[in-house]
Amino acid sequence: MITHKQFPNHHIFETDIGGRTFTVETGKVAELCNAEAICRYGDTVVLVTAVASPLPKSGIDYFPLTIEVEERMYAVGRIPGSFNRREGKPSDHGVLISRLIDRPMRPLFDEELRNDVVLTNTILAQDYDNPVEIVASIGSSLVIAYSDIPWNGPTSTTNVCYLDGKYIVNPSQDERNACQCFVTIASTHEKVVMIETEANEVKEDILLECIKLAHETNVHVVEFINTIVETIGKPKFTFEKAAVNHEMLDDLCSYGLDKIAYALDTDDKNVREERITAAVVDFKEQFGEKYAEDWDIQIDVCLYKMQKKVVKKWLLEGKRVDGRTPDEIRPLSAEVGVLPRVHGSGLFTRGQTQVLSICTLNTLSAAQKLDTIYDETEKRYIHHYNMPQWSTGEARASRSTSRREIGHGALAEKALVPVLPSVEEFPYAIRVVSEVVSSNGSTSQASICGSTLALMDAGVPIKRPVAGISCGLITDQETGVWRTFTDIQGVEDFHGEMDFKVAGTTEGVTAIQMDLKNDGLTMEIIADALERCRKARLEILNEIMIPCIAAPRPEVSEFAPKMLSMKINVDKIREVIGKGGATIQKIVAESGAQVDIDDDGTIHIASPDAASCDIAKKMIDEICFEPEVGKLYYGKVVRILPIGAFVELAPGKDGMIHISKLENRRVEKVEDVLNIGDMTWVKVTEIDEKGRVNLSRKDALKELAAAADNQ
């Protein structure tokens, strides 16, 4: 007997966001999860599922939250291009979306929760005008909010762009591509909890208006999520909080809080670590026996809480860990040309944060090809960021590229793209690699500074140099007092509440990324952080970077490929390529240059040797040569007939001089004037309907004589 499946918990909710309908469907799929939802915005559809383990994970000192984005190529009607024709690991774009969802949500979980929580966003259909990151972010928030998993949300995420004086909520793809700035904001009902920005040197007041509009939209969406929670919300489960031995913590604070304060009171990370190690040895001698059972598990937790207590007290009082004033930047240094043979290099140092960036130039064929569900299919500019374990003084093995490294590389890339020259101005593929050689706070912003130096050293004609700086925050929840401070170092980042990173030129902002460890920012704090970063950015540019290298090198490195660009008629592309590619292969073999042809007839020629480029260009010019009526040409006689002579104007391009057009007199025999191999001037008098070229030596000589007389 067959029965029809019933879905008693099936619900559909709708709201309007930016003039389009956002739909949430629950209770129909993934019944074994703690919560699920199919979210739709336009034709973008994402299945969001949340699962939590029933028991806490033992032996860890962090909340084990995992947020995944599962990209499916069928979402855009494609078959994967890999050998297996199957999706593999997430693309870099997918990783960035995961981070975009994670950053606003994580601080709103209880830090003492130790149950595994896995939030998965499976992209079922993709509409480029309704971006996945918005659907997945809102879906993730509402699924956790109505689930039984404890959380202090909900949040919402909105895109806003500024285009021709207008502020647009969740813009279309065309609007996003044309806009002056594009801002992604996540917020709770009261505060902003995440900022991500890409901009074309935009002023801070415009960015602030984008943030305000996005927050207003988020408030509406949070209220929508709350109505869903009221309708289908589940009671939150109780959990065993990570045990902290408060007696041990109190004993350590009473005995040695001043020792921790002494350890932190230095601008040298190595000295700080040595002092903390000495303090731990002392603590163990005093309390090791008393707390022997918990010592190994609890000492790290206690040390963290003790350091946080000291750092927070100092910062609220206006004292920096290393003695700086709130707006003081650590000592800076900038160098270029630090490596031989590479195309460009820059070393940027800020305190004990140091990044070496290397620029490599290649032909446009070396641009990165992308096989993803997103609209971008190729990247001409590639920025990679590496932060090895030794840069922080840690003794651990290196593994594959982390999500953090992907995120920081993308941030630096985003910051520099607005100042890069167009392909027409500079027909190169460009890759910059930022190697973090020492890390003590805000390496991503140091990589932006170092990469600017490397690009300029490589001769890339960027519009203006770009610098990045970060701003920190500390707040007192009881009094409402807050303080911001410029250029956070590692310990201030670790124990502070905000990492507000801003990159830009002297003219405006190019990128922002803001991470939080508290419940959000007010507009007053955001405005203060933007202004603090603006002043610091100008200081770095005007006092350190521009004096180091005021303008890009006038020429690319001798080790970089030399490039020529030319344009031919699209009808000639087939002739340049030749049957089976024979002609272009001959050009490459004989010239030693690499030749790339675009569909619009643009040809890019590259070689380590400029002479090779010239040879290839000459060969292509000859193939594409088209004689023009009325023009003079100097060519070789290649064939003689009784009625005239054939002259080669270019390889494979001949014209005929009739015997009557050889001289300004009667000629009996062609050989009386010309012989095979002779070079002579001719004028094109006609190109008939069959493409035959008629020449006149008589007219050419007359025109040349007249020109000589005029001189």
Side-chain angles (χ1 to χ4, degrees), residues 346-376:
L347 180 65
F348 183 82
T349 306
R350 189 180 62 247
Q352 288 183 311
T353 291
Q354 193 171 48
V355 176
L356 173 64
S357 288
I358 299 93
C359 177
T360 305
L361 306 177
N362 208 327
T363 62
L364 291 171
S365 61
Q368 184 181 9
K369 305 298 187 293
L370 302 175
D371 181 32
T372 69
I373 66 170
Y374 310 104
D375 64 323
E376 190 178 32

Side-chain angles (χ1 to χ4, degrees), residues 17 22 133-143 156-157 221 225:
I17 306 176
F22 187 93
E133 64 265 21
I134 297 301
V135 183
S137 297
I138 295 175
S140 297
S141 172
L142 72 89
V143 163
S156 174
T157 304
V221 178
I225 294 173

Side-chain angles (χ1 to χ4, degrees), residues 356-359 382-386 431-435 451:
L356 173 64
S357 288
I358 299 93
C359 177
I382 308 161
H383 196 117
H384 290 148
Y385 165 104
N386 299 314
R431 180 185 186 232
V432 175
V433 178
S434 293
E435 304 284 1
S451 299

Side-chain angles (χ1 to χ4, degrees), residues 369-602:
K369 305 298 187 293
L370 302 175
D371 181 32
T372 69
I373 66 170
Y374 310 104
D375 64 323
E376 190 178 32
T377 58
E378 184 176 272
K379 283 174 67 174
R380 171 200 173 210
Y381 177 66
I382 308 161
H383 196 117
H384 290 148
Y385 165 104
N386 299 314
M387 185 173 161
Q389 76 292 343
W390 46 261
S391 66
T392 58
E394 295 179 71
R396 58 181 174 83
S398 296
R399 294 288 182 259
S400 60
T401 306
S402 68
R403 291 189 170 196
R404 179 180 178 277
E405 288 173 308
I406 291 172
H408 281 192
L411 175 59
E413 184 174 291
K414 187 188 303 181
L416 290 162
V417 163
V419 300
L420 293 177
S422 66
V423 173
E424 291 73 25
E425 296 174 90
F426 195 70
Y428 285 88
I430 309 165
R431 180 185 186 232
V432 175
V433 178
S434 293
E435 304 284 1
V436 178
V437 293
S438 180
S439 172
N440 189 11
S442 201
T443 54
S444 65
Q445 301 309 284
S447 74
I448 292 168
C449 299
S451 299
T452 295
L453 298 174
L455 286 164
M456 295 174 76
D457 185 49
V460 180
I462 62 173
K463 286 196 293 185
R464 274 173 286 276
V466 181
I469 193 68
S470 63
C471 175
L473 170 74
I474 200 74
T475 59
D476 187 330
Q477 298 295 335
E478 295 180 2
T479 63
V481 173
W482 55 270
R483 288 185 183 273
T484 56
F485 39 93
T486 304
D487 180 25
I488 58 175
Q489 61 163 302
V491 68
E492 293 171 331
D493 185 11
F494 192 59
H495 297 295
E497 298 173 15
M498 177 180 79
D499 185 5
F500 198 114
K501 300 181 277 279
V502 182
T505 67
T506 54
E507 302 304 306
V509 173
T510 58
I512 298 175
Q513 187 177 93
M514 188 270 286
D515 299 320
L516 280 182
K517 296 177 185 174
N518 63 16
D519 63 351
L521 303 181
T522 63
M523 292 299 164
E524 183 183 9
I525 295 175
I526 293 171
D528 180 89
L530 284 170
E531 177 60 17
R532 192 177 283 280
C533 288
R534 185 189 69 83
K535 291 179 178 178
R537 182 177 79 246
L538 295 179
E539 186 177 345
I540 294 170
L541 286 167
N542 294 326
E543 297 186 22
I544 299 296
M545 293 178 63
I546 294 175
C548 174
I549 180 167
R553 306 280 189 211
E555 300 289 340
V556 298
S557 163
E558 62 177 302
F559 301 107
K562 307 304 180 290
M563 298 284 291
L564 283 178
S565 291
M566 59 187 297
K567 191 79 176 268
I568 64 171
N569 191 305
V570 291
D571 296 335
K572 293 291 183 179
I573 293 176
R574 179 174 295 182
E575 292 182 39
V576 174
I577 294 173
K579 186 176 181 180
T583 304
I584 197 169
Q585 289 172 14
K586 180 182 177 185
I587 295 170
V588 170
E590 293 186 6
S591 68
Q594 182 174 331
V595 180
D596 297 314
I597 305 177
D598 295 339
D599 292 340
D600 65 352
T602 302

Side-chain angles (χ1 to χ4, degrees), residues 103-277:
R103 284 161 39 215
M105 293 187 69
R106 187 178 293 270
L108 300 179
F109 285 94
D110 192 310
E111 64 178 12
E112 296 188 22
L113 178 62
R114 294 294 179 266
N115 299 61
D116 271 304
V117 174
V118 179
L119 192 58
T120 305
N121 295 267
T122 305
I123 302 170
L124 303 178
Q126 161 81 313
D127 164 16
Y128 295 135
D129 283 338
N130 298 281
V132 163
E133 64 265 21
I134 297 301
V135 183
S137 297
I138 295 175
S140 297
S141 172
L142 72 89
V143 163
I144 293 291
Y146 92 77
S147 76
D148 60 342
I149 301 170
W151 188 50
N152 295 318
T155 62
S156 174
T157 304
T158 298
N159 291 335
V160 169
C161 82
Y162 177 74
L163 176 61
D164 298 332
K166 297 180 180 179
Y167 298 90
I168 304 170
V169 173
N170 289 342
S172 68
Q173 190 69 14
D174 289 343
E175 290 169 333
R176 175 173 181 169
N177 292 337
C179 71
Q180 286 79 53
C181 76
F182 181 83
V183 178
T184 302
I185 303 297
S187 50
T188 63
H189 197 276
E190 292 78 25
K191 297 179 180 179
V192 173
V193 290
M194 191 275 298
I195 302 173
E196 190 86 25
T197 299
E198 52 190 79
N200 190 10
E201 299 181 282
V202 168
K203 299 299 183 184
E204 283 77 2
D205 58 340
I206 292 176
L207 292 170
L208 199 57
E209 289 302 314
C210 289
I211 293 169
K212 289 177 180 177
L213 177 57
H215 178 61
E216 291 171 6
T217 305
N218 283 334
V219 169
H220 161 71
V221 178
V222 167
E223 291 171 351
F224 167 66
I225 294 173
N226 284 333
T227 63
I228 295 176
V229 174
E230 291 171 5
T231 305
I232 62 172
K234 304 175 183 179
K236 300 297 185 183
F237 65 70
T238 57
F239 62 95
E240 180 183 342
K241 292 197 172 189
V244 177
N245 189 325
H246 290 284
E247 182 184 356
M248 177 178 168
L249 178 61
D250 291 343
D251 280 347
L252 290 176
C253 286
S254 298
Y255 173 75
L257 195 61
D258 59 334
K259 298 179 186 294
I260 295 299
Y262 168 72
L264 294 174
D265 196 7
T266 176
D267 62 353
D268 191 320
K269 186 176 180 181
N270 291 325
V271 172
R272 184 182 306 121
E273 294 300 327
E274 289 173 4
R275 291 177 179 178
I276 289 176
T277 300

